């Protein structure tokens, strides 16, 4: 694989069972590049290892006054120099290619997993951890993958030098053969502590990154309440903790580096002292002493790669563990446990009901269904489930869903068996068994905080859609007239079409209600078979909310729409209202029917207290109906 060939057409299916397994999978996926790097590394390090012998032969030729020997040494030095230069250049080229290729593969895998999980990713994994994995961790993983081949080439050259010295100068070769393994293994006892300190540093750095990302995301709110200094102080404390942890980690690595300098120096002194003794006794020649000294001196270069591979693995292992944790996440818990299917699942026919076996919620095809949950967090998790992406820790249970189906759907006998279908079903087909693109084309979920990317309004609406709903109709249904006027007024001179007006990143130049309405219009343009909206009008006034409710009902006529809300204006426009209580369906009916007959529903919608329910709900029901009529007339 060349850098020019990136990105991969298919990055593959990673082994995400653990960090080391993930690193091994990456290495196996680049065997060709690793072999190239290993071969060039062996050429380079062999040239480095041969250099001392050439110098030793040259010294002996000078001592023995052999011109032919000097000529031979000159040729050998030339060949050795070419091998060192070419090998070094190509080793660097192939090693960097392996680094970038591994990092790019990991980034592709993370991008694919992000697209697969959508907004559920940051709910399962902290945002700071996602940022850390996709930036610094990717580089550390690539560093280890490319360092492996250079380390193996260095090991080959070290063995070559030791064996060569044993034959060339046996007395000194024995000393070197004993000393080199001691130097290579001396720092191993310190690696666990160094790794532990490095892990603490990365953990603190991840928390600081998460704090920074959360602060930036809420900067507008912080400025509004004057909380900038408070969060700045928190980040300053977190950054100081990172600094202290980094210093502690650096001290340990400095000790390891010192060992890698002191012990080779001690070996060189030993070789020179012992070699000088042997030369004075006439047991070896001067050239052999020079060759042995030069060989030990060059070994310092190769031994550095032993320290590097230890550092690379120490830093990359937790990085790979974090990446594996993200990559091991599945769209649903059931999908993670279910064996992989070899045959694709056929998409359901149009006009199927949407059914959640855990809660017992049934959204009939072509109807406007409103869902009321007393717990906003439960509503968010339910919205994720309806889109085929249930979250870890979903409190709803299969057993409770059977009671929910009996309590309210009115068609529980026709609903699929919950035990056999843990995922949400559309037309009897589990969403988590469908291809991702197919599932998302069938069911679209808009959460409480939809994101608006920077660009023109036309680019904002350039999304996969059926083509049946025009942008103008969607904007009208979402009551975006004032938003278009505001965008046009802030646009540069010469922009006459509001669709060409630009939106700042995350729509920060717009109010919360304006951003919410634009996001709703974008969802309406897609015109999916099933549209799930989680509190789509929580940031708009009641008059606008009433018109939006009418617009949604009119534009989505004949299409399945599920709205999770507690606003009477939206609930009164729904064909069917479902109350979810304690994770299961508690009641089903129209808004007015549930106001009269269901105290739990009345408590959520009208914010009725327990004391008011005890005193009697009849008067409050009449009052609620009167308020609804007033809101309708308004």
């Amino acid at each position: 694989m060349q850098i020019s060939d990136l990105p991969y057409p298919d990055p593959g299916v990673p082994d995400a069972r653990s960090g080391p397994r993930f690193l091994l999978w990456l290495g196996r996926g680049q065997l060709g590049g690793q072999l190239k790097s290993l071969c060039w590394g062996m050429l380079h390090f062999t040239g480095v290892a041969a250099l001392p012998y050439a110098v030793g032969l040259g010294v002996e030729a000078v001592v023995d006054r052999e011109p032919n020997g000097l000529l031979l040494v000159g040729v050998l030095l030339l060949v050795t120099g070419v091998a060192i230069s070419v090998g070094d250049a190509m080793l660097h080229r192939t090693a960097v290619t392996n680094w970038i290729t591994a990092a790019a593969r990991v980034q592709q895998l993370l991008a694919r997993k992000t697209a697969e999980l959508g907004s559920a990713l940051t709910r399962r994994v902290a945002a700071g951890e996602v940022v850390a994995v996709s930036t610094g961790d990717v580089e550390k993983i690539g560093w280890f993958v490319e360092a492996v081949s250079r380390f193996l080439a260095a090991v080959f050259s070290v063995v070559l030098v030791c064996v060569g010295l044993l034959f060339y100068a046996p007395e000194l070769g024995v000393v070197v053969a004993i000393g080199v393994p001691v130097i290579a293994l001396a720092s191993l006892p310190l690696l666990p502590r160094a790794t532990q300190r490095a892990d603490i540093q990365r953990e603190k750095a991840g928390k600081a990154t998460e704090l920074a990302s959360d602060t930036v995301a809420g900067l507008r709110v912080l400025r509004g309440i004057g909380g900038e200094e408070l969060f700045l102080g928190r980040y300053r404390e977190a950054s100081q903790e990172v600094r202290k942890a980094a210093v502690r980690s650096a001290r340990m690595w400095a000790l390891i580096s010192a060992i890698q300098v002191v012990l080779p120096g001690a070996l060189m002194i030993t070789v020179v002292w012992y070699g000088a003794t042997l030369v004075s006794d006439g047991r070896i020649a001067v050239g052999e002493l020079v060759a042995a000294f030069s060989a030990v001196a060059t070994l310092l270069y190769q031994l550095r790669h032993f320290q590097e591979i230890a550092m690379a693995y120490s830093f990359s292992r937790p990085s790979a563990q974090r990446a594996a944790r993200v990559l091991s996440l599945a769209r649903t818990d059931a999908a993670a446990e279910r064996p992989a299917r070899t045959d694709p699942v056929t998409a359901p026919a149009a006009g199927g009901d949407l059914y959640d076996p855990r809660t017992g919620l049934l959204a009939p095809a072509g109807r406007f269904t409103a869902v009321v949950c007393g717990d906003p967090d439960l509503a968010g998790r339910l919205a994720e489930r309806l889109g085929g992406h249930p979250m870890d820790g979903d409190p709803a249970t299969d057993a409770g869903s059977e009671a929910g189906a009996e309590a309210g759907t009115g068609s529980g006998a026709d609903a699929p068996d919950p035990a056999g279908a843990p995922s949400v079903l559309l037309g009897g087909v589990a969403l988590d068994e469908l291809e991702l693109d197919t599932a998302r084309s069938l069911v679209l979920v808009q959460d409480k905080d939809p994101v608006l990317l920077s660009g023109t309004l036309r680019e904002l609406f350039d999304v996969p859609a059926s083509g049946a709903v025009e942008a103008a109709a969607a904007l009208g249904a979402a009551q975006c007239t004032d938003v278009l006027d505001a965008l046009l007024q802030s646009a540069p001179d010469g922009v006459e079409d509001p669709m060409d007006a630009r939106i700042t990143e995350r729509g920060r130049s717009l109010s919360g209600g304006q951003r919410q309405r634009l996001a709703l219009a974008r969802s309406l343009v897609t015109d999916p078979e099933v549209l799930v909206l989680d509190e789509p009008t929580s940031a708009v006034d009641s008059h606008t909310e009433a018109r939006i409710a009418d617009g949604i009902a009119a534009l989505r006529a004949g299409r399945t729409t599920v709205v999770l809300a507690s606003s009477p204006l939206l609930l009164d426009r729904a064909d069917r209202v479902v109350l979810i209580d304690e994770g299961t369906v508690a009641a089903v009916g129209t808004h007015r029917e549930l106001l009269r007959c269901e105290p739990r529903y009345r408590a959520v919608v009208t914010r009725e207290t327990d004391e008011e329910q005890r005193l009697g709900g009849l008067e409050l029901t009449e009052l609620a109906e009167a308020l609804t009529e007033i809101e309708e007339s308004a």
Side-chain angles (χ1 to χ4, degrees):
M1 172 63 72
Q2 300 295 324
I3 295 178
S4 58
D5 298 329
L6 296 174
Y8 281 94
D10 181 9
V13 180
D15 186 350
R17 288 176 291 177
S18 65
R21 288 178 181 271
F22 180 59
L23 291 174
L24 180 62
W25 177 83
L26 281 176
R28 288 203 307 266
Q30 296 181 207
L31 285 179
Q34 294 285 356
L35 288 175
K36 289 180 182 178
S37 183
L38 177 61
C39 291
W40 289 117
M42 291 172 63
L43 176 64
H44 170 65
F45 288 120
T46 300
V48 173
L51 191 60
Y53 299 103
V55 173
L57 290 175
V59 172
E60 289 184 4
V62 171
V63 173
D64 297 339
R65 298 180 182 275
E66 295 181 358
N68 293 333
L70 281 176
L71 180 62
L72 178 62
V73 169
V75 174
L76 181 59
L77 287 174
L78 178 63
V79 173
T80 302
V82 171
I84 293 174
S85 301
V86 175
D88 188 28
M90 296 306 298
L91 172 62
H92 179 73
R93 178 186 179 90
T94 53
V96 171
T97 300
N98 289 336
W99 187 336
I100 295 177
T101 302
R105 185 193 290 266
V106 177
Q107 285 183 328
Q108 277 189 257
L109 292 170
L110 291 171
R112 185 175 68 181
K113 182 59 64 174
T114 301
E116 177 184 340
L117 297 178
S119 61
L121 174 62
T122 53
R123 299 183 186 180
R124 298 186 182 188
V125 182
E129 184 172 348
V130 176
V131 173
V133 170
S134 59
T135 53
D137 286 342
V138 167
E139 294 185 4
K140 294 181 178 68
I141 292 171
W143 176 27
F144 174 75
V145 171
E146 68 89 11
V148 170
S149 56
R150 290 190 289 111
F151 166 71
L152 294 176
V155 171
F156 170 79
S157 67
V158 168
V159 173
L160 187 64
V161 168
C162 293
V163 172
L165 278 178
L166 286 174
F167 285 97
Y168 185 71
E171 293 87 347
L172 293 177
V174 172
V175 175
V176 175
I178 295 174
V180 168
V182 172
I183 295 173
L185 302 176
S187 58
L188 288 182
L190 300 177
L191 286 179
R193 182 174 296 181
T195 302
Q196 181 182 10
R197 293 188 179 185
D199 290 344
I200 294 174
Q201 175 196 349
R202 280 187 291 272
E203 181 181 356
K204 292 182 179 295
K207 291 181 179 179
T209 303
E210 183 177 353
L211 178 61
S213 62
D214 292 342
T215 302
V216 171
L219 188 59
R220 185 173 182 177
V221 177
L222 291 176
R223 286 175 176 172
I225 63 176
E228 290 178 271
E229 289 300 326
L230 174 62
F231 276 82
L232 179 61
R234 290 182 181 178
Y235 182 74
R236 185 180 291 113
E237 293 177 1
S239 63
Q240 289 301 313
E241 291 292 328
V242 174
R243 181 188 64 80
K244 293 177 182 178
V247 171
R248 284 175 51 83
S249 178
R251 286 174 181 169
M252 186 57 65
W253 287 112
L255 177 59
I256 294 175
S257 298
I259 292 175
Q260 293 294 329
V261 173
V262 171
L263 292 184
L267 178 62
M268 289 181 62
I269 294 174
T270 302
V271 168
V272 172
W273 173 79
Y274 183 56
T277 303
L278 294 177
V279 170
S280 64
D281 294 342
R283 296 165 61 183
I284 63 171
V286 175
E288 293 176 342
L289 174 60
V290 173
F293 172 78
S294 302
V296 174
T298 56
L299 280 179
L300 298 180
Y301 172 60
Q302 287 97 319
L303 288 174
R304 265 189 246 141
H305 292 81
F306 287 69
Q307 178 188 358
E308 181 189 10
I309 195 65
M311 292 182 64
Y313 181 74
S314 173
F315 280 92
S316 66
R317 182 185 56 79
S319 297
Q321 188 65 42
R322 282 195 292 266
R325 177 170 176 251
V326 174
L327 295 175
S328 64
L329 297 175
R331 287 169 57 192
T332 66
D333 295 338
E337 298 173 359
R338 185 185 303 115
R341 296 180 64 103
T342 56
D343 55 326
V345 179
T346 305
D353 296 341
L354 184 69
Y355 177 70
D356 178 20
R358 287 197 178 183
T359 61
L361 172 64
L362 177 69
R367 304 285 297 278
F368 183 178
T369 302
V371 180
V372 176
C373 296
D375 182 2
D377 293 334
L378 176 59
R381 292 192 293 269
L382 179 58
E384 293 289 343
R385 279 191 54 76
L386 294 178
H389 305 284
M391 312 259 299
D392 291 338
D394 193 337
T397 61
D398 292 342
S401 66
E402 295 179 359
E406 293 177 359
T409 61
S411 57
D414 299 329
D417 180 13
S423 170
V424 169
L425 308 178
L426 179 61
V429 178
L431 287 179
D432 64 357
E433 292 186 357
L434 294 173
E435 293 291 335
L436 183 61
D437 293 340
T438 303
R440 289 189 172 170
S441 65
L442 293 172
V443 181
L444 174 67
V445 178
Q446 177 182 304
D447 59 16
K448 293 185 181 70
D449 188 22
V451 176
L452 302 180
L453 301 178
S454 60
T456 64
L457 192 58
R458 196 181 309 278
E459 292 171 342
L460 178 68
F461 283 85
D462 185 15
V463 293
S466 66
V469 178
E470 298 292 336
L475 289 167
Q479 301 299 308
C480 293
T481 304
D482 62 319
V483 184
L484 299 180
D485 294 339
L487 290 174
L488 201 56
Q489 289 177 4
S490 61
D493 295 337
V495 178
E496 299 180 355
D497 189 348
M499 296 298 291
D500 295 326
R502 296 195 65 82
I503 301 173
T504 57
E505 184 181 359
R506 303 184 72 90
R508 289 193 173 93
S509 61
L510 303 173
S511 67
Q514 290 174 328
R515 290 196 301 270
Q516 196 173 57
R517 282 179 281 161
L518 279 181
L520 174 60
R522 179 180 58 185
S523 299
L524 293 174
V525 162
T526 61
D527 188 38
E529 181 174 336
V530 179
L531 177 60
V532 180
L533 304 172
D534 187 6
E535 294 287 357
T537 59
S538 59
V540 301
D541 60 84
S542 59
H543 299 287
T544 305
E545 185 178 27
R547 292 194 293 268
I548 291 175
D550 291 334
I552 294 175
L555 194 63
R556 294 286 301 174
R559 306 286 275 173
T560 307
T561 306
V562 180
V563 177
L564 291 94
S566 59
S567 169
L569 295 172
L570 275 173
L571 299 174
D572 195 47
R573 267 67 172 185
D575 301 324
R576 193 167 181 268
V577 180
V578 180
L579 173 65
I580 303 291
D581 185 47
E582 297 183 356
T584 59
V585 172
V588 177
T590 64
H591 170 59
R592 297 172 187 270
E593 291 173 351
L594 294 178
L595 275 179
R596 287 193 302 268
C597 306
E598 182 53 60
R600 289 173 294 181
Y601 178 83
R602 193 164 55 245
V604 174
V605 174
T606 66
R607 306 297 190 268
E608 187 181 52
T609 65
D610 293 339
E611 182 65 19
E612 289 169 336
Q613 290 187 48
R614 187 181 65 80
L615 294 176
L618 182 58
E619 295 180 359
L620 290 172
T621 302
E622 295 174 351
L623 177 60
E625 292 179 350
L627 288 174
T628 302
E629 293 177 358
I630 293 173
E631 290 171 344
E632 288 178 348
S633 62

